[in-house]
Amino acid sequence: ENGPKNKKKESETYFRSMTAVATTAAVSALLGSTSTAPPSPHQTAAAAAPPPADELLRAIATGDLSTARMLLSVDNSNLADVVYHLPLLSWAVETDHQQCAQLLLRYGASVAATDRRGFTALHRAAWKGLTDMAKVLLDEGGADVNVVCAGSNSARSTPLILAAKHRDLSMAQLLVAHGADIELRDAHGMSAMDHATLQGADAVVRYLLDRGADCHAARHYCELGVSTVTTLPQRNSFNDIVKTLCEAWSSQSAVTAS
């Protein structure tokens, strides 16, 4: 039930569900309103204005920078919504509003803050392939490039592992350039190299191998991955990985033997 073929599903399901809620309509529903427009003259007596915290969340999630500037302070920069427990910084990442993220960081938003599953803003940026956003979190926010998902139900993934799962070479390059440890392993004992192999991410596999990633377990994950292919391009990707791994196995085995 928890075999390698299913190991990617937990993070995928979680992040996709969060992407589904991170829309203007969903944010409005979360805040108890179906519209961000003011009440029409035909509506009955004026409804109470949303609390400032709700307005701030709406501004961050919809990219309303001017409103966010008016409402944000050092005291509320780490606010999290009460339903998804997503900090404001994670909402800015989820909705890809880079200027809002930068504003939050200037007001002291914590890059270490986590959502209900233990994922930080950098985990979210890595999963969504937002390299510019990830660079902001790393360079301007000082995010820990090797941060591990801390939730009790998480797979203890690092941002690099999430990038490998998503076959994202650009993100992997950015994270490694900022010091990501390529040998860190998740709760299933799998490294970024293992996940890249399982996913048939040939470019990521080559990149990690060039940086000395251990590939001794990769044969197993390659066999598992190739058993799931449904298209010729996928098959070709695994063929390329096998060729690359054969060369790497020879090299690493020679070093081990010596």
Side-chain angles (χ1 to χ4, degrees):
E1 182 179 49
N2 295 317
K5 290 182 183 179
N6 296 320
K7 287 176 180 176
K8 64 180 181 179
K9 291 183 179 178
E10 181 175 315
S11 293
E12 288 179 349
T13 301
Y14 175 64
F15 281 106
R16 285 172 183 164
S17 69
M18 288 313 305
T19 299
V21 303
T23 64
T24 302
V27 172
S28 297
L30 172 64
L31 300 181
S33 170
T34 57
S35 172
T36 57
S40 74
H42 301 290
Q43 290 178 300
T44 53
D54 289 354
E55 283 298 310
L56 177 57
L57 171 56
R58 192 195 311 277
I60 295 296
T62 59
D64 184 352
L65 194 61
S66 61
T67 300
R69 285 195 180 105
M70 288 190 296
L71 298 175
L72 191 61
S73 72
V74 293
D75 296 321
N76 62 15
S77 61
N78 287 299
L79 176 76
D81 73 83
V82 297
V83 177
Y84 303 107
H85 300 175
L86 229 62
L88 290 176
L89 186 58
S90 290
W91 272 107
V93 173
E94 182 62 41
T95 53
D96 194 16
H97 294 303
Q98 185 173 316
Q99 288 184 306
C100 286
Q102 291 172 305
L103 180 66
L104 284 162
L105 291 172
R106 287 197 293 272
Y107 275 88
S110 173
V111 291
T114 61
D115 60 21
R116 63 184 179 183
R117 293 290 295 277
F119 292 96
T120 66
L122 184 58
H123 286 115
R124 195 166 296 277
W127 180 256
K128 293 178 68 68
L130 303 175
T131 52
D132 289 342
M133 183 71 81
K135 193 172 189 304
V136 165
L137 296 172
L138 291 163
D139 293 344
E140 299 180 29
D144 179 2
V145 73
N146 290 312
V147 62
V148 174
C149 296
S152 60
N153 293 323
S154 75
R156 297 191 58 77
S157 297
T158 64
L160 180 59
I161 286 175
L162 293 179
K165 285 182 176 182
H166 224 232
R167 304 166 54 93
D168 192 336
L169 176 60
S170 295
M171 182 63 71
Q173 291 172 325
L174 173 69
L175 295 170
V176 171
H178 280 77
D181 186 340
I182 60 177
E183 297 300 345
L184 288 180
R185 298 176 183 275
D186 62 16
H188 305 293
M190 296 176 68
S191 66
M193 177 68 190
D194 297 333
H195 281 289
T197 305
L198 180 63
Q199 295 294 330
D202 50 329
V204 179
V205 168
R206 287 195 299 272
Y207 174 74
L208 293 174
L209 281 174
D210 286 344
R211 274 139 195 85
D214 186 334
C215 67
H216 285 92
R219 184 198 304 267
H220 170 65
Y221 294 111
C222 189
E223 291 173 351
L224 286 173
V226 77
S227 68
T228 67
V229 300
T230 57
T231 67
L232 182 58
Q234 289 175 332
R235 170 72 65 175
N236 290 338
S237 292
F238 278 103
N239 288 341
D240 290 341
I241 289 175
V242 169
K243 293 176 184 177
T244 302
L245 289 176
C246 284
E247 297 173 359
W249 287 326
S250 297
S251 176
Q252 292 188 6
S253 295
V255 171
T256 301
S258 63

